């Protein structure tokens, strides 16, 4: 059960001595409780792996301390229904998507007032699908709000003109269509990179082989221009929108201070993953799950037991990756020196706020953290769902 305290609680992480990989039948969903629990003698989180490539750029900033901290500064908003995506506005307020209602709301970061901006037409919620990730356009895409959602026929990304002063939301224009959909494994996280490209995390739509098919948009991280077209270079192949493949269900994307892309994804029964994403990299699913050490596949930097993670959102702040966990009901900190871990992962806020869906960096040492207890799999309390403001180190 959840504890009422609002201060961070640090959970010790037991490191494993050996890596493992597993297959098995496809699970019913990504973040359910119906997966095999590790035996008491099994490890629950594994030590980070060394990056696959030795020539990756390293962050110029000093590495973070081995032990960090999380302070909950307050609850910004309450009473949100099935929230999924969160996009901070330049003036400080927040845009939040409702997965099941297909609406976008604005949260006043000072007063906590929640007002509906508009409903996105064409959203067809069901299972893990619906209105999912949000991100504001940058560069040539400034003035647009991008959204990932499940329609009656596919998962797709649209952009809508948005004026934050008038709070007017324009009609959606499809930029990416044809991402396979299912009741589970729909992916949904979107983010603009420092190169001005839009990065899209998709799921395998419960079709295991699709993740290894370079012609399918399922089980991939896509990299596209703001209008949805393939960039001239830098992807898996010329004319392809696929940046990396072999993913089961990507729901977290974050760029670090040196412009490297990191992703979190649900495993099946054995390992959830945090990966450093390389252009053209193959991350193994469904051939391998977790760290396998097999030629041709990129091993995760960190892997977690599903009971401790079932990861969704991912953010980078103060030299660390911050991972929001659904089934694990905790916020993980992974301190990095470039691409190398400084120390073992740390767990904060364990069992305090229930399922954690989205974490987004604001500025400096501040994070926005959003819960996910009204999605049909959680145990909502009176104030759920909510957005919290955190200060981290």
């Amino acid at each position: 059960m959840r504890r009422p305290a609002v201060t961070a609680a640090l959970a010790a992480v037991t490191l494993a001595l050996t890596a493992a990989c597993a297959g098995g039948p496809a699970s019913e969903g990504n973040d359910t409780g119906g997966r095999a629990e590790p035996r008491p003698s099994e490890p629950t989180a594994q030590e980070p792996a060394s990056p696959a490539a030795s020539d990756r750029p390293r962050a110029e900033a000093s590495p973070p301390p081995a032990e960090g901290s999380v302070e909950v500064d307050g609850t910004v908003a309450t009473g949100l229904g099935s929230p999924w995506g969160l996009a901070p506005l330049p003036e400080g307020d927040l845009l939040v998507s409702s997965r099941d209602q297909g609406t976008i709301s604005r949260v006043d970061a000072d007063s906590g007032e929640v007002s509906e901006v508009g409903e996105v037409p064409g959203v067809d919620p069901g299972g893990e699908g619906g209105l999912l990730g949000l991100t504001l356009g940058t560069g040539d895409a400034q003035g647009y709000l991008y959204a990932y959602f499940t329609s009656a026929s596919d998962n797709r990304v649209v952009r809508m003109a948005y004026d934050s002063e008038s709070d007017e939301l324009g009609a959606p224009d499809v930029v990416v269509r044809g991402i396979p959909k299912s009741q589970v494994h729909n992916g949904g996280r979107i983010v603009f990179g420092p190169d001005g490209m839009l990065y899209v995390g998709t799921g395998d739509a419960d079709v295991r082989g699709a993740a290894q098919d370079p012609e399918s948009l399922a089980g991939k991280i896509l990299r596209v221009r703001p209008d949805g077209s393939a960039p001239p270079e830098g992807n898996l192949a010329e004319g392809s929108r696929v940046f990396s493949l072999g993913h089961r269900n990507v729901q977290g994307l974050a760029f670090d201070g040196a412009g490297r892309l990191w992703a979190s994804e649900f495993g099946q029964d054995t390992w959830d993953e945090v990966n450093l994403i390389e252009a053209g990299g193959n991350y193994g699913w469904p051939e391998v799950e977790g760290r396998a050490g097999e030629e041709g596949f990129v091993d995760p930097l960190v892997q977690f037991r599903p009971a401790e993670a079932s990861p969704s959102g991912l953010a980078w702040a103060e030299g660390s990756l911050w991972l929001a966990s659904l089934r694990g009901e905790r916020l993980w900190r992974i301190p990095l020196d470039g691409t190398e871990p400084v120390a073992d992962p740390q767990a904060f806020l364990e069992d305090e706020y229930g399922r954690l869906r989205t974490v987004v960096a604001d500025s400096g040492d501040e994070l926005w953290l959003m819960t996910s207890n009204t999605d049909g799999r959680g145990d909502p309390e009176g104030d759920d769902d909510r957005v919290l403001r955190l200060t981290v180190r």
Side-chain angles (χ1 to χ4, degrees):
M1 72 189 291
R2 286 183 247 168
R3 298 186 295 271
V6 296
T7 56
L10 175 62
V13 178
T14 303
L15 297 179
L17 299 178
T18 58
C21 63
S27 61
E28 181 179 344
N30 298 323
D31 51 11
T32 67
R35 296 190 279 192
E37 294 285 351
R39 296 186 299 274
S41 60
E42 287 183 324
T44 54
Q46 281 215 339
E47 60 186 356
S50 297
S54 60
D55 57 349
R56 293 178 179 142
R58 298 182 65 85
E60 296 179 359
S62 300
E67 293 188 5
S69 63
V70 171
E71 181 178 350
V72 180
D73 297 325
T75 299
V76 178
T78 60
L80 301 172
S82 63
W84 210 100
L86 185 152
L89 293 170
E91 54 266 42
D93 290 349
L94 309 173
L95 294 178
V96 174
S97 66
S98 171
R99 186 194 69 181
D100 297 341
Q101 298 171 10
T103 57
I104 296 173
S105 297
R106 180 166 179 161
V107 175
D108 187 303
D110 293 325
S111 69
E113 180 182 356
V114 179
S115 57
E116 185 175 310
V117 174
E119 182 175 353
V120 180
V123 175
D124 185 32
E128 296 173 1
L131 181 55
L132 305 176
L134 298 178
T135 192
L136 292 172
T138 61
D140 294 340
Q142 195 165 1
Y144 287 100
L145 175 66
Y146 285 72
Y148 184 115
F149 72 81
T150 310
S151 75
S153 59
D154 61 3
N155 287 302
R156 56 183 59 183
V157 180
V158 300
R159 66 179 179 182
M160 299 160 284
Y162 177 67
D163 185 335
S164 61
E165 292 187 4
S166 64
D167 227 17
E168 293 183 358
L169 187 67
D173 177 29
V174 179
V175 296
V176 179
R177 68 174 76 241
I179 302 170
K181 62 170 282 189
S182 176
Q183 285 291 104
V184 295
H185 307 190
N186 288 294
R189 199 68 64 179
I190 54 177
V191 64
F192 271 92
D195 58 357
M197 299 295 173
L198 178 66
Y199 291 77
V200 181
T202 76
D204 70 1
D206 209 21
V207 179
R208 293 161 63 95
Q212 290 293 324
D213 180 0
E215 300 301 318
S216 172
L217 299 184
K220 309 294 190 298
I221 294 176
L222 311 179
R223 173 178 173 265
V224 299
R225 289 170 167 171
D227 65 2
S229 62
E233 57 185 3
N235 281 356
L236 183 66
E238 184 177 356
S240 173
R241 290 177 290 180
V242 174
F243 189 64
S244 62
L245 72 162
H247 300 286
R248 184 171 181 268
N249 193 22
V250 176
Q251 286 196 8
L253 295 173
F255 284 90
D256 66 18
R260 293 175 289 252
L261 176 62
W262 300 84
S264 58
E265 69 176 276
F266 292 91
Q268 183 172 268
D269 295 313
T270 312
W271 298 117
D272 295 328
E273 300 179 4
V274 174
N275 287 292
L276 175 57
I277 304 301
E278 302 173 333
N282 189 330
Y283 290 81
W285 178 256
E287 303 302 321
V288 298
E289 179 184 358
R291 205 171 301 140
E294 292 190 15
E295 185 176 356
F297 299 135
V298 182
D299 280 346
L301 180 83
V302 182
Q303 55 187 26
F304 298 93
R305 293 296 189 187
E308 289 191 328
S310 295
S312 188
L314 186 69
W316 185 87
E318 294 296 290
S320 298
L321 291 170
W322 301 86
L323 178 69
S325 298
L326 291 163
R327 184 178 166 195
E329 298 189 355
R330 68 200 76 179
L331 179 68
W332 286 101
R333 174 185 182 262
I334 305 169
L336 298 173
D337 181 5
T339 61
E340 296 287 350
V342 171
D344 303 337
Q346 291 177 280
F348 295 91
L349 309 181
E350 185 175 354
D351 298 327
E352 293 187 28
Y353 297 100
R355 293 159 57 83
L356 305 180
R357 171 70 69 182
T358 298
V359 58
V360 176
D362 187 16
S363 60
D365 59 355
E366 295 184 343
L367 296 176
W368 303 104
L369 180 64
M370 190 161 64
T371 66
S372 187
N373 296 310
T374 60
D375 66 348
R377 291 178 176 171
D379 183 19
E381 296 183 349
D383 289 338
D384 283 327
D385 271 309
R386 65 192 85 183
V387 177
L388 307 171
R389 181 187 284 113
L390 310 180
T391 299
V392 301
R393 179 176 69 89

